[in-house]
Each structure stands twice: as C-alpha cells, then as structure tokens.
C-alpha cells in the first residue's frame, strides 16, 4: 500500500530517464558489514545500506503485511532530484526501452537451459561496456568529475541490486532481460507504453504471454529497480558507502524482502485472474497475456501495486 505525504511541496517533474558515461568508481568494492536493524522495528530499504537521510519522503511502499516482515521502500525528494539529474544528464530520458534493450543485448550472451528456456545473461564487466555504449557521447563528454563518480556508482548499484544470490547465475552476472525491465524506469515513454514494452521483453520466445514465473520476474524487476532508486544520494561519500554495503552478502535479507513483496503482489493478481476465469466459465491456464495484466491493474490492481505509477516519471 502507498502512503503519500500531501504536505510536501511538489517536486519538479523529472521527465524520462537517460544513460551513462564511463567505467568510473565501482567494480571492486570491499564488502562491509551492514548496520544492525534497530530494535527490530520497521526497516526501510535505504536505511539498511546508508546513513539516515534528512530528505522528506514523497511516497512509502509498505510491505509489512507480507512474508517480508516489517519492511518498506521509501522514495524521498532527494531520490527524485538525483534521478532527474541522472536521466537528464546521461540522456536516458530521450531513449526508448526498445532502443536500450537492443544495446544491452549486444553486450549479453544467450543461454539455452535444459528445460528449453532462453536466458540472456550480462556480466558486471559487460554491463560497464553497455553503459558507455548506451549513454550518448555528447552527454558523457560534459560530465564533471563529481558526476562521473556519482553516476558510475548509481549504475553499479543498480546492477548489484539485480545480482540475486539465489539465482542460478554466477556471481557478478544478472538476467539481462530482468535488468532491462528495471531500466525501463529510466527510459522515455508513459506508464502504459513502458509496461507493455517490458512485458514483451520478458516474452523471450514471443509466445504472446508470460507464465507465472515470467510474471514473477516482471514484478520483481520493477520492485528491485525501485529499491535501487531509493538509494540515490547527492552525497558522494554516502553513495560510495551504499556501493560497498550492497556488495556485502548481508544484503540478501533486503532482497529477499523485495522477492517476497513481488510474490505477494503476484498472489493478488492470480486470485483475481482465477476468479475472472471462474466467472466466465473458461479453463484457467498459466498463460497471462499483457491484456490480462493491464485489465487487472486498471480494475483495482493499482491499489495493490501503486509503485508502478512511478513508471510515468512526469507525474
């Protein structure tokens, strides 16, 4: 559920996100211990990895009612300001999700799994090449030293957020398609066009639908990227600290909470999906077309997954 603070001064519209620059600061971080959870209370994702911020929350997405336990993702004014700076300065705001996908796939390898699944994998090293490739040269040549370091850390942190330790990929490798779904937050377009484009990205074999597992990837990718956005800071030292903390194995608890938040959302969808099939008398199957998901979201799913509204960054 979302909690909005209506007392805040409206933040300037942040437009569509943009790209990156050069390898910069962040590949070989030394793992550091995470701060302990204070008194077992409700824990925000950003508080797990950095110093408490003085910036006011614009919106808080609360997953305390899920298997994640007492957990929420806070998006602050500072997060939105830095996101706006990132996307406008790097040029992502003018890039379509489809264009960014075409670039990321150039730096990924295709694997065929034993059950016939097709998976695109990108390594941390190739991700750095992707960022330098996708960010327009006319943008990156104008970055100052502080922007180079901060933007490098921001993008590296996004990658690390997707490096799930329970996946069947090697360390420092992520599912390129899931990463791209998350990156659609940074691209040009409205909410509907981004949702549709990302759905199509995960339909690797172009069957016209996603299975339950594919829909789980879809929701998890958005929540993972939202968690990464909640870590954006204007303070260079804080950003460096967050980068190091994210490399710690103790981050697993935080991302398990994100995973459970996605499962909770998925459960809400499938209960409504099954009820719809029962009313119509049709046989329920595991194939979910984008139209099915869009109908659920429009008819009440927006109250279950309000964080998807942030895809339209000009709101």
């Amino acid at each position: 559920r979302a909690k909005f603070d209506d007392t805040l001064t409206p933040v300037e519209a942040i437009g569509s996100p943009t790209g990156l620059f050069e390898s910069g600061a962040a590949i070989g971080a030394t793992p550091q211990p995470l701060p302990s959870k204070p008194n077992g209370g409700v824990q925000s994702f950003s508080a797990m990895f950095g110093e408490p911020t003085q910036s006011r929350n614009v919106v808080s997405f609360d997953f305390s009612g899920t298997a994640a336990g007492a957990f929420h993702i806070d998006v602050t004014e500072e997060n939105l300001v830095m996101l706006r700076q990132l996307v406008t300065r790097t040029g992502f705001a003018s890039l379509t999700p489809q264009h960014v996908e075409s670039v990321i796939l150039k730096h990924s390898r295709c694997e065929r799994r034993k059950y016939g699944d097709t998976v695109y994998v990108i390594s941390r090293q190739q991700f750095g090449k992707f960022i330098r490739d996708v960010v327009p040269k006319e943008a990156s040549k104008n970055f100052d030293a502080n922007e180079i370091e901060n933007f490098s850390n921001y993008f590296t942190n996004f990658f690390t957020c997707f490096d799930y330790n329970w996946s069947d990929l090697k360390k420092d490798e992520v599912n390129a398609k899931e990463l791209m779904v998350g990156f659609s937050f940074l691209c040009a377009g409205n909410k509907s066009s981004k949702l549709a484009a990302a759905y199509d990205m995960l339909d690797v074999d172009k069957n016209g639908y996603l299975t339950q597992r594919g829909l789980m990837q879809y929701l998890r990718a958005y929540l993972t990227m939202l968690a990464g956005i909640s870590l954006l800071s204007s303070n260079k030292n804080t950003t460096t600290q967050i980068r190091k903390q994210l490399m710690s194995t103790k981050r697993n608890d935080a991302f398990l909470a994100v995973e459970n938040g996605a499962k909770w959302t998925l459960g809400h969808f499938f209960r409504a999906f099954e009820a719809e099939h029962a009313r119509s008398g049709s046989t329920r199957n595991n194939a979910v077309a984008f139209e099915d998901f869009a109908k659920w979201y429009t008819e009440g799913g927006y109250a279950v997954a309000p964080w998807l509204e942030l895809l339209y960054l000009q709101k």
Side-chain angles (χ1 to χ4, degrees):
R1 58 188 182 274
K3 299 177 289 186
F4 293 87
D5 186 346
D6 295 325
T7 67
L8 299 182
T9 303
V11 179
E12 183 182 358
I14 52 182
S16 295
T18 205
L20 181 54
F21 49 106
E22 66 175 280
S23 56
I27 304 299
T30 302
Q32 300 290 328
L34 288 172
S36 58
K37 186 175 177 178
N39 303 320
V42 175
Q43 181 82 326
S44 73
F45 189 88
S46 55
M48 295 179 182
F49 299 106
E51 296 297 325
T53 178
Q54 300 303 309
S55 182
R56 293 176 294 179
N57 289 348
V58 174
V59 62
S60 179
F61 300 105
D62 187 358
F63 298 96
S64 298
T66 74
F71 171 77
H72 54 97
I73 296 175
D74 298 329
V75 178
T76 68
E77 288 181 318
E78 181 182 17
N79 297 152
L80 295 180
V81 168
M82 300 319 296
L83 179 60
R84 181 180 190 273
Q85 183 182 38
L86 176 68
V87 303
T88 55
R89 291 290 289 154
T90 59
F92 259 100
S94 62
L95 304 177
T96 67
Q98 292 86 348
H99 170 74
V100 177
E101 180 192 25
S102 69
V103 179
I104 202 171
L105 291 182
K106 283 168 48 182
H107 297 280
S108 306
R109 69 178 189 274
C110 180
E111 294 185 357
R112 198 76 176 176
R113 298 304 172 87
K114 61 181 179 180
Y115 296 112
D117 294 343
T118 302
V119 179
Y120 289 88
V121 179
I122 186 168
S123 67
R124 191 177 292 273
Q125 182 180 25
Q126 289 299 315
F127 175 75
K129 294 179 180 179
F130 152 68
I131 290 297
R132 292 190 291 275
D133 195 5
V134 77
V135 176
K137 296 294 187 294
E138 58 269 24
S140 60
K141 71 181 182 182
N142 293 319
F143 295 161
D144 60 33
N146 195 58
E147 287 176 325
I148 288 175
E149 183 168 356
N150 264 345
F151 293 169
S152 292
N153 279 316
Y154 293 165
F155 281 104
T156 297
N157 289 349
F158 289 156
F159 181 93
T160 303
C161 286
F162 283 84
D163 189 7
Y164 312 119
N165 78 311
W166 58 83
S167 79
D168 58 355
L169 300 177
K170 298 176 183 177
K171 185 178 183 297
D172 292 328
E173 291 186 344
V174 306
N175 184 311
K177 291 282 189 171
E178 280 197 46
L179 183 65
M180 187 54 235
V181 170
F183 263 56
S184 66
F185 265 114
L186 311 182
C187 297
N190 59 27
K191 177 188 65 185
S192 297
S193 66
K194 290 183 183 183
L195 284 170
Y199 212 88
D200 185 63
M201 289 172 195
L202 287 180
D203 181 12
V204 176
D205 296 319
K206 304 306 174 189
N207 295 314
Y209 62 83
L210 295 181
T211 63
Q212 182 169 332
R213 183 172 64 174
L215 193 54
M216 176 65 187
Q217 290 180 295
Y218 184 69
L219 295 169
R220 180 176 61 201
Y222 282 129
L223 269 178
T224 300
M225 191 65 176
L226 185 64
I229 289 170
S230 77
L231 299 176
L232 296 177
S233 172
S234 59
N235 186 293
K236 187 167 62 175
N237 292 334
T238 298
T239 298
T240 300
Q241 176 191 352
I242 289 170
R243 171 173 58 83
K244 292 178 179 179
Q245 298 286 13
L246 276 173
M247 299 295 285
S248 166
T249 57
K250 292 186 179 180
R251 76 184 192 278
N252 298 338
D253 287 344
F255 288 104
L256 183 59
V258 170
E259 174 92 354
N260 287 333
K263 287 179 180 176
W264 178 80
T265 306
L266 184 69
H268 275 268
F269 169 79
F270 270 105
R271 282 193 291 274
F273 187 57
E274 291 169 356
E276 177 71 20
H277 276 271
R279 284 192 298 270
S280 65
S282 61
T283 303
R284 187 262 192 197
N285 58 46
N286 204 31
V288 181
F290 177 70
E291 291 73 20
D292 296 321
F293 181 81
K295 182 175 185 293
W296 169 77
Y297 188 81
T298 302
E299 294 180 356
Y302 57 82
V304 177
W307 28 273
L308 289 175
E309 292 296 314
L310 290 183
L311 279 166
Y312 190 34
L313 293 173
Q314 290 181 316
K315 268 195 170 183

